[in-house]
Amino acid sequence: MAKNTKNAVSRGRRRAFLGAVLVWLPGVAMVTAGFVIAWSFIEPAPPTTLRLATGSPTGSYAAFGRAYAETFARDGIELEVVHTGGTVDNLRLLAEGAVDAAIVQGGVKSPTPGELQGISALYYEPLMMFHRGAAPATTLSALSGGRVAIGGEGSGSRFAALELLETAGLTDRIETLPLGGVEAVEALERGVIDGLFMVTSPTNPLVVRLLSTPDIHIVRLRRARAFARRLPHLTPVTLPRGVVDLTRDLPTGDVPLLAATAALVARSDLHDALPPVLIDAARAVHGQGSLLSSAGTFPALAPLDYPVERETRHAFESGRSFLYRVLPFWAASLVDRLKILLLPLLTLLIPLFRVAPPLYRWRIRSRIYRWYKVLRGLDAEIAATGDRAALEEARSRVRALQRELHDIDVPVSYMDEFYHLRLHADLVQRRLEQRLNPPERRPADDRAPPPSTPWMPDPSAPPMPLGAGPDDRDDRPPDDDPPDPPATLDPGPADAPPLRPTAGARRIVRRHVAVAATLGLAPLPLVDLATTTAVSLAMLRRLARYYGTPFRSDLGKSAIAALTGGAAAGGGALGLSSAAKAVPVVGSGLAIVAGPAATGAVTYAMGRVFIAHFGSGGTLFDFDPERYRDHFQTQVAHAREPVSG
């Protein structure tokens, strides 16, 4: 037998598992498909290395690139500084995809501008012109007829110098040489050339070196504003006296100059997580100002020769997002990229968890509830027919139904409902057996209730003291003369006597009356209503167990509400007592006195009603509050005087 039980349990578990799979599998498949589709839209992770084109190893661009690398390192990204010939080379490398970003000189056009995006304007970089002579020159014409170095091929200095000479009309009057950097400075110092153009920062060591050399002067461009009008990408600036070296007073006077704007540009396909890092690096290096601009002027979104992407503009104006401020860069990037997975999470996964459990419960309960339709049909047939052959046929059907119920497999968590079904099937069989073998009818005592109703106490009888049971009253039928069973209630098996109240049932009622009366002392309104309902429900559960009848909490609550809600003597008195507690001082005092009497009386009357109902074979399933309402009110009225006293 133990082996059969074990096999049955195992079989039930397998069926329960298969039932759960059938419910969850379609939903899980839909959610998985949703996540797969969403995953295809996730951007790739940001690269761990970024290549930045700068300029010559000794130039300002390269120095700034090395400073940017420190900021990138804090985010776990390696910044590779690529040395080039200058701005023109940088733009070419960007167009070829050989680098990801570059520092370029403003005004120099890219061969593929549509493939680039502006990140930030960085600082003013002046176009400085040095020449040999006895005194500083104030015009470009002082270089006429001389040999001038304008920078190497691909440099921004060469582009700016040719543009400026062409605007001044000196292209044919000056011999230009493709020299730049240290080579051009040394040539000027040796007298090999007469002058040079250099686009660089005033703090460049080569600039300090030239300003310190006798007979070499910086051109103080008197018509700088006029040139700026003709060349809008250039800005007139002034290099103040002594700003390069206060100790040596370099330069020795204010120097009017033209300045281009250095800018940080990148490819338009740069990963969206990297522009904010570039902006942070630019702020760290250039945010404190320079010799030509005050703090806060740069970095800026203008002037830029290339469009700024919406995400870059937002990062520049608002800073990094919350995720990047509180999480490491790699973690914030991961969360930011995976946020698209919220779409299937919100639209599929959460609804699945809301729908699947009720669907699973419905599937399991449908195995039980579908039998109630069959059971209800049999019950109606038994009540409607008096033919013995029809009743015998109904008996065979009921027994067949019980055999089929034995083979139903449900999870353990639903066994209470399954056994309720078994109890109700047994109830129908008992009714059927009673119809087939009716009990012997005896002459009823004149004190017994009519055959159509269960026994109830006689309202005209003298009141019982609190805690007394039906065996103590004179209106209870004697044990050897039970009343005829009502047509709608089951009195039990034919060979068993009707159920009678016993001392055990009376003790259950007395205990719960004492608890209810004690809780009625609570001074807060509505508390006694709630506690009386809870105590009465607990009492019904104990009485149902005592009489061997099924109990359901929802039916018990409905029965209690039906009796107390429609009974003026019981529920009304209890409600008034509870409401009185809301009145300060006087109301509270009176309610505390009357509260225990009201709660105890209602609980006592509730117990008497269900002793009568359960004792005559009734259950919560066939309880009719209208038939017991008068009896409930009578018991409340009889009990209030003893409880109060």
Side-chain angles (χ1 to χ4, degrees), residues 370-444:
R370 64 190 179 92
W371 290 101
Y372 275 103
K373 183 177 181 180
V374 178
L375 197 60
R376 178 59 181 151
L378 286 172
D379 194 23
E381 291 180 17
I382 294 170
T385 184
D387 182 57
R388 187 170 186 84
L391 292 175
E392 291 287 352
E393 195 273 337
R395 173 193 283 174
S396 63
R397 291 168 59 191
V398 170
R399 290 176 177 174
L401 182 144
Q402 289 179 319
R403 287 194 298 271
E404 293 186 38
L405 291 182
H406 182 74
D407 294 332
I408 295 179
D409 288 325
V410 295
V412 176
S413 57
Y414 294 88
M415 280 297 175
D416 57 339
E417 300 183 34
F418 172 69
Y419 279 104
H420 277 143
L421 174 60
R422 296 285 296 271
L423 286 172
H424 297 156
D426 291 342
L427 177 63
V428 172
Q429 185 178 18
R430 290 169 60 190
R431 289 182 176 178
L432 177 58
E433 295 296 339
Q434 184 179 354
R435 294 294 304 276
L436 288 170
N437 305 296
E440 180 181 354
R441 297 178 61 88
R442 300 179 182 179

Side-chain angles (χ1 to χ4, degrees), residues 61 314 325 410 440 589:
Y61 288 1
H314 177 75
R325 289 197 298 268
V410 295
E440 180 181 354

Side-chain angles (χ1 to χ4, degrees), residues 2 42 78 169 174 242 336 355 379 422 429 439 468 472 535 560 564 627 639:
I42 295 178
E78 179 186 359
I174 294 177
D336 188 48
V355 171
D379 194 23
R422 296 285 296 271
Q429 185 178 18
D472 303 318
V535 172
I560 294 170
T564 58
R627 298 178 59 189

Side-chain angles (χ1 to χ4, degrees), residues 108-442:
V108 183
K109 302 299 181 183
S110 168
T112 56
E115 298 179 0
L116 303 182
Q117 61 168 316
I119 302 296
S120 172
L122 300 177
Y123 61 93
Y124 290 131
E125 50 178 0
L127 174 59
M128 299 183 182
M129 296 153 284
F130 291 90
H131 70 98
R132 296 186 65 86
T138 57
T139 64
L140 292 180
S141 59
L143 301 175
S144 180
R147 304 175 72 223
V148 179
I150 60 173
E153 296 290 341
S155 67
S157 297
R158 181 181 183 85
F159 174 86
L162 291 176
E163 186 179 44
L164 197 62
L165 291 175
E166 182 179 359
T167 303
L170 297 175
T171 304
D172 298 332
R173 297 163 57 185
I174 294 177
E175 181 183 355
T176 59
L177 301 175
L179 300 178
V182 176
E183 185 181 6
V185 170
E186 292 176 349
L188 183 62
E189 289 175 336
R190 294 196 308 268
V192 176
I193 57 176
D194 301 305
L196 63 83
F197 284 80
M198 180 184 297
V199 177
T200 188
S201 169
T203 58
N204 190 322
L206 294 178
V207 173
V208 178
R209 176 177 171 179
L210 290 174
L211 290 175
S212 305
T213 303
D215 299 329
I216 295 179
H217 306 281
I218 186 171
V219 176
R220 302 176 182 181
L221 195 58
R222 185 173 54 192
R223 296 186 295 176
R225 293 183 179 276
F227 279 105
R229 295 287 184 177
R230 301 290 295 275
L231 303 171
H233 58 276
L234 297 178
T235 302
V237 296
T238 299
L239 188 65
R241 177 176 178 172
V243 72
V244 174
D245 191 332
L246 287 172
T247 303
R248 292 183 291 173
D249 193 26
L250 300 177
T252 56
D254 291 346
V255 181
L257 296 171
L258 286 171
T261 303
L264 194 58
V265 298
R267 290 183 56 83
S268 57
D269 58 359
L270 184 69
H271 195 283
D272 290 341
L274 294 180
V277 184
L278 287 168
I279 292 172
D280 284 353
R283 284 199 171 108
V285 175
H286 307 291
Q288 303 303 316
S290 66
L291 299 182
L292 297 177
S293 61
S294 58
T297 303
F298 294 101
L301 292 179
L304 285 173
D305 297 327
Y306 304 97
V308 180
E309 299 288 344
R310 181 176 60 86
E311 292 80 4
T312 303
R313 185 178 297 276
H314 177 75
F316 190 92
E317 295 173 349
S318 304
R320 293 199 188 190
S321 66
F322 174 77
L323 289 175
Y324 286 92
R325 289 197 298 268
V326 300
L327 295 177
F329 179 82
W330 66 267
S333 174
L334 178 63
V335 174
D336 188 48
R337 290 183 296 113
L338 295 182
K339 63 186 178 184
I340 193 174
L341 295 181
L342 290 175
L343 186 61
L345 176 67
L346 297 177
T347 59
L348 296 175
L349 188 59
I350 293 179
L352 174 64
F353 277 99
R354 292 179 63 89
V355 171
L359 183 61
Y360 176 71
R361 288 194 295 270
W362 171 84
R363 181 180 177 84
I364 297 300
R365 287 173 175 170
S366 65
R367 302 179 190 173
I368 300 173
Y369 292 161
R370 64 190 179 92
W371 290 101
Y372 275 103
K373 183 177 181 180
V374 178
L375 197 60
R376 178 59 181 151
L378 286 172
D379 194 23
E381 291 180 17
I382 294 170
T385 184
D387 182 57
R388 187 170 186 84
L391 292 175
E392 291 287 352
E393 195 273 337
R395 173 193 283 174
S396 63
R397 291 168 59 191
V398 170
R399 290 176 177 174
L401 182 144
Q402 289 179 319
R403 287 194 298 271
E404 293 186 38
L405 291 182
H406 182 74
D407 294 332
I408 295 179
D409 288 325
V410 295
V412 176
S413 57
Y414 294 88
M415 280 297 175
D416 57 339
E417 300 183 34
F418 172 69
Y419 279 104
H420 277 143
L421 174 60
R422 296 285 296 271
L423 286 172
H424 297 156
D426 291 342
L427 177 63
V428 172
Q429 185 178 18
R430 290 169 60 190
R431 289 182 176 178
L432 177 58
E433 295 296 339
Q434 184 179 354
R435 294 294 304 276
L436 288 170
N437 305 296
E440 180 181 354
R441 297 178 61 88
R442 300 179 182 179

